[in-house]
Amino acid sequence: MRSNISAFLSGLLFAIGLGVGGMTDPANVLGFLDIAGDWDFRLMFVMGGAIAVHAALRPLIHQREEPLFAAKFPSFSASRLDPKLLVGAALFGVGWGLGGYCPGPALTALATGASRLLVFVPAMFAGMFLAQVLQARRGASTAR
């Protein structure tokens, strides 16, 4: 129960931050991505603020033996660049650039009822589902 409350409060804080930072307005996002035209640098401060909070708190959090709201810290394998990561990042970037929304801000802005979002969000979930199906199919074929 504590982990659900923590997840809800974290998501709420994230959504409020996206709204205050202007990330729910695709014009701001597209302005940030338009480095060759009329570049809007303001979202750099939103990302910089998130990185600064993470950089300051991560060492403090990892001094603990276990997290507050979970049984253990997640473990990640060694990082490496592989084709799957590069293709996924490219698809994410193209979708973000064409749609003007990152997944988090799209879900937050869905509350506005904008017709673009009523198309974008289901398409985003369809893409996530398709990626999982393809990954599971690929995993099943390599396991044989």
Side-chain angles (χ1 to χ4, degrees):
M1 181 66 163
R2 286 177 57 182
S3 64
N4 288 341
I5 293 170
S6 173
F8 174 78
L9 292 175
S10 297
L12 183 63
L13 181 62
F14 183 67
I16 291 169
L18 291 174
V20 170
M23 294 262 320
T24 58
D25 183 357
N28 288 341
V29 175
L30 293 173
F32 176 74
L33 296 173
D34 185 15
I35 57 174
D38 188 21
W39 186 56
D40 184 353
F41 63 90
R42 294 176 297 165
L43 291 185
M44 186 169 49
F45 291 107
V46 173
M47 289 186 274
I51 292 168
V53 168
H54 176 76
L57 293 180
R58 183 180 170 107
L60 297 173
I61 291 168
H62 281 279
Q63 285 178 354
R64 301 181 57 84
E65 290 190 27
E66 62 183 33
L68 292 174
F69 301 110
K72 64 178 185 163
F73 288 108
S75 61
F76 301 102
S77 61
S79 301
R80 65 181 177 88
L81 293 176
D82 62 1
K84 191 166 76 169
L85 173 67
L86 296 174
V87 169
L91 287 171
F92 179 84
V94 168
W96 187 9
L98 290 174
Y101 288 104
C102 188
L107 292 175
T108 302
L110 191 58
T112 66
S115 59
R116 283 180 57 165
L117 288 164
L118 299 177
V119 173
F120 179 84
V121 171
M124 177 181 74
F125 280 117
M128 290 176 181
F129 176 75
L130 179 61
Q132 286 183 339
V133 168
L134 292 175
Q135 189 171 4
R137 187 173 292 169
R138 184 172 181 221
S141 67
T142 58
R144 293 180 196 174

